[in-house]
Amino acid sequence: MSASTAPPAVPPAVRATPVSRALLAAFGLAAAVDLVSLLAGAEPGHQIAKPLLMPLLAAYAATRKAPKLLVAALLSGWAGDVLLLSDADGAFLAGMGSFAVGHVCYLALFGRRRASPALGALYAAALAGTVALLWSDLPAELRIPVAGYSLLLTAVAHRASSLGFLAGLGGALFLLSDTLIATGVAAWPRPPAPDFWVMLTYVAAQCLLTTGALRSPGEGRDTP
């Protein structure tokens, strides 16, 4: 291949390093421990592993010179994760608020990139239908917060597709994960081991959003 047709070199500063690979491996290990603990009913394993997930993923992203908004979104997710481990009064709303901050960071990260209007219409219909179905079964004090949060998360799921397929899939899985939580709050029938499915879709969502952001055109990123 001639020099004129060779692809541009990836800046060394954003290549995967031994440190970034170790952080990604640690994230994968923490995710596996958390998911196995949920399947096995080993609550201490979940309590230990869950708070490690987003800091490890955020640290990995930082070593790859990720946008600061991505790191902020992941750390906001970590705050939400920790808060949702608690049974204290107000912990659910506080955790939802932390995740909402993370979603605002994601929306700012996506900027003005174009996303499919048809996909947006599908998401809008899904949002309206889900909120309408859940409304009467949600505790009265959570109806407005859940509806507002769902609107924000749906916007993130739609706009994430502007970064490509992986980020778009991550946004969809994030929406699915939180929908599973909402059906639990509404006391709807849930699949076996519901917490496992909530965490599986959530961890996959954050990982895919991170990967999509690192690979997004114009950011000068190498692949993970």
Side-chain angles (χ1 to χ4, degrees):
M1 182 178 290
S2 67
S4 61
T5 59
V10 176
V14 300
R15 289 188 182 276
T17 65
V19 171
S20 63
R21 293 190 184 98
L23 287 167
L24 188 59
F27 167 76
L29 177 60
V33 169
D34 188 50
L35 294 173
V36 170
S37 296
L38 289 171
L39 282 177
E43 184 63 19
H46 175 59
Q47 294 279 338
I48 293 170
K50 184 180 180 183
L52 297 176
L53 292 170
M54 291 307 107
L56 288 169
L57 189 57
Y60 163 74
T63 64
R64 301 298 307 281
K65 304 300 182 184
K68 292 180 181 179
L69 284 168
L70 173 61
V71 176
L74 295 172
L75 292 179
S76 295
W78 166 73
D81 288 343
V82 173
L83 286 165
L84 292 181
L85 284 173
S86 172
D87 294 327
D89 292 341
F92 181 80
L93 283 175
M96 190 162 55
S98 295
F99 278 112
V101 171
H103 296 326
V104 171
C105 291
Y106 274 128
L107 289 175
L109 174 65
F110 303 151
R112 297 184 178 181
R113 292 178 175 87
R114 292 178 59 84
S116 166
L119 181 61
L122 288 174
Y123 271 128
L127 170 66
T130 301
V131 171
L133 289 170
L134 286 170
W135 187 263
S136 62
D137 294 325
L138 290 170
E141 68 275 11
L142 291 181
R143 289 172 182 169
I144 297 299
V146 167
Y149 176 83
S150 298
L151 175 61
L152 182 60
L153 179 53
T154 302
V156 169
H158 175 228
R159 298 289 299 130
S161 65
S162 67
L163 295 187
F165 174 77
L166 291 178
L169 179 59
L173 288 174
F174 214 140
L175 185 59
L176 174 59
S177 180
D178 279 19
T179 300
L180 290 172
I181 294 175
T183 58
V185 174
W188 281 19
R190 305 176 79 195
D195 290 342
F196 168 82
W197 296 109
V198 167
M199 284 304 299
L200 177 63
T201 49
Y202 167 68
V203 169
Q206 293 281 38
C207 189
L208 287 168
L209 285 166
T210 298
T211 302
L214 290 172
R215 290 182 174 182
S216 62
E219 294 294 335
R221 311 286 178 211
D222 191 12
T223 55

